[in-house]
Amino acid sequence: MKAVSILFIILRLFLGGLMIYGGIHKFEQPSPTPIEVFQKAEKFSSPEKESTLQKILYISGAKQTGYFWQVLGICEILFGLLLIIQGTSFIGAIFLLPITLHIFLFHYFLEREETGELLKTLAFFAINLALVLKEYKKWKPLVWIKPI
């Protein structure tokens, strides 16, 4: 039983660190101008490069909003920190669940041909899901009330 607890601590620290790193990375590069996005997108306008074009437009669109990419970065940093801190790890795992699901779905729909990335992001989501399900007995009363 102690080995399982240690494994969950390692998974928690790994996922939390990964999210903090990803969140910080979102602030390293300046947002491209709309003209730069258009010029980059033009290079991938052929049908065989449609997947790459979709990725470029999706990420560039998130950056062009002026807030979404930064809010996502802040959430990744904050929730990653919550996950690393032992007392707040469960709430961090809950808050990170939609983010890790989104990362997996992004790769599933836009990079399906890149099997390595797909499996890696699926592993991140699975780790996050395992961290939430590990506490099932604690949160079950919040979502399921026995009928009279």
Side-chain angles (χ1 to χ4, degrees), residues 31-144:
S31 296
T33 65
I35 293 171
E36 292 171 333
V37 173
F38 180 74
Q39 290 170 343
K40 189 174 182 181
E42 271 187 322
K43 296 176 188 175
F44 298 98
S45 61
S46 62
E48 60 272 358
K49 296 180 181 178
E50 185 177 346
S51 176
T52 304
L53 176 63
Q54 289 174 331
K55 289 185 290 190
I56 290 169
L57 293 176
Y58 182 84
I59 292 173
S60 298
K63 290 178 178 180
Q64 290 297 311
T65 63
Y67 74 93
F68 180 77
W69 198 247
Q70 294 81 4
V71 168
L72 181 60
I74 289 168
C75 288
E76 286 178 353
I77 293 168
L78 178 63
F79 302 159
L81 285 171
L82 288 173
L83 191 60
I84 286 176
I85 299 169
Q86 186 173 356
T88 59
S89 63
F90 176 65
I91 198 73
I94 289 281
F95 288 162
L96 271 177
L97 201 56
I99 293 173
T100 56
L101 174 62
H102 180 264
I103 293 168
F104 168 69
L105 291 176
F106 171 84
H107 288 278
Y108 179 76
F109 286 106
L110 298 178
E111 288 187 332
R112 197 173 300 183
E113 67 281 352
E114 294 186 34
T115 309
E117 283 291 315
L118 190 60
L119 292 175
K120 186 169 60 170
T121 58
L122 178 61
F124 299 155
F125 177 64
I127 290 168
N128 197 172
L129 192 59
L131 292 171
V132 171
L133 293 177
K134 175 182 163 271
E135 305 294 338
Y136 175 74
K137 289 180 182 176
K138 293 179 183 174
W139 58 262
K140 181 185 172 193
L142 294 173
V143 295
W144 181 258

